[in-house]
Amino acid sequence: DILVNRSDALFTLTLPPPEGPLVVAPRHPDPTRWYREDDVEFAWELPARATSVSYVLSADPLAAPDDIPEGAKTSVAYRDLSSGTHYFSIKAFRPQSGWGGVSHVVVNIDAEPPAEFPIEVSPRPRTTVRRPTLLFATTDRHSGIDHYVLQAVRTSANPGEEPLTPFFVEVTSPYVLPELDLGSYDVVVRAYDLAGNIREARQKLMIAQTLF
């Protein structure tokens, strides 16, 4: 037994350079980005003198295509892929030399919105405080949260008062609202993930002159 020390290590998997057909995902070109579109097409150029290809799509980065020929096709499409990271691997067969090297493409799919979340109001949804504080947070299982936007729409107005024009602004939590007039409001917070999916939360707010 010669083991003296051991420690933890963090490894980053890097796909090897293409050794087989040059393959691309036309609608999902960036392997570092997340996409909402879950229909994916892979296209490649058949190498010179190659008569067939073999390919595989898997969630396992180490998965390799088998030796069963799929014909001399130059593209394949997959519908309704599950959210997550998918690895496409392909190799070509030449009668003179057999199966060649393997090329890889990574596609990140996130077709699911962030998790549902509440909007908390401090000190409370019905308050005399003209600048209440909003607290909100959610998570996203695949791509992660990118940003939040907020809209506060007044649902009550004094006679002759111009209606409030709603618009969204990018915010972070906690967020202190600008000074509000007396009345009721609908507060909307939208959470965007890195693929552009949206989850919306709503909260009613009342600014009162007195709580009693």
Side-chain angles (χ1 to χ4, degrees):
D1 185 2
I2 61 172
L3 178 63
V4 178
N5 295 309
R6 64 180 182 179
S7 61
D8 296 331
L10 179 64
F11 296 93
T12 301
L13 294 177
T14 302
L15 294 179
E19 297 180 358
L22 179 61
V23 56
V24 295
R27 288 178 292 177
H28 303 72
D30 189 343
T32 64
R33 279 189 54 193
W34 288 84
Y35 296 88
R36 283 185 296 175
E37 176 60 55
D38 56 6
D39 293 340
V40 181
E41 179 186 9
F42 298 96
W44 57 88
E45 182 179 351
L46 201 64
R49 296 184 297 279
T51 59
S52 186
V53 294
S54 179
Y55 52 82
V56 63
L57 181 68
S58 175
D60 181 3
L62 301 180
D66 56 31
D67 293 337
I68 300 175
E70 299 282 354
K73 58 178 66 175
T74 57
S75 67
V76 65
Y78 296 89
R79 306 296 181 190
D80 302 322
L81 287 182
S82 60
S83 294
T85 299
H86 301 269
Y87 301 87
F88 182 78
S89 303
I90 184 172
K91 62 183 180 181
F93 180 81
R94 294 182 177 89
Q96 300 85 355
S97 55
W99 290 105
V102 180
S103 298
H104 309 271
V105 171
V106 179
V107 170
N108 300 304
I109 302 295
D110 185 358
E112 303 173 12
E116 294 184 357
F117 64 100
I119 303 173
E120 298 181 11
V121 183
S122 177
R124 60 187 63 85
R126 181 182 175 90
T127 179
T128 59
V129 177
R130 296 293 187 96
R131 300 191 64 192
T133 300
L134 305 178
L135 300 100
F136 46 87
T138 187
T139 58
D140 187 77
R141 192 156 63 100
H142 298 289
S143 61
I145 297 299
D146 185 47
H147 67 280
Y148 298 89
V149 296
L150 178 143
Q151 176 192 61
V153 180
R154 186 168 183 178
T155 56
S156 65
N158 298 323
E161 184 177 355
E162 292 292 330
L164 180 66
T165 301
F167 61 93
F168 280 92
V169 294
E170 187 169 340
V171 295
T172 57
S173 180
Y175 177 73
V176 180
L177 286 165
E179 187 167 339
L180 302 175
D181 294 329
L182 298 178
S184 57
Y185 296 83
D186 279 342
V187 176
V188 181
V189 174
R190 291 177 180 174
Y192 288 77
D193 65 19
L194 289 167
N197 300 299
I198 303 172
R199 175 70 72 180
E200 185 174 282
R202 291 177 174 268
Q203 173 65 54
K204 292 189 178 297
L205 176 64
M206 170 66 76
I207 307 298
Q209 190 168 6
T210 175
L211 293 180
F212 303 98

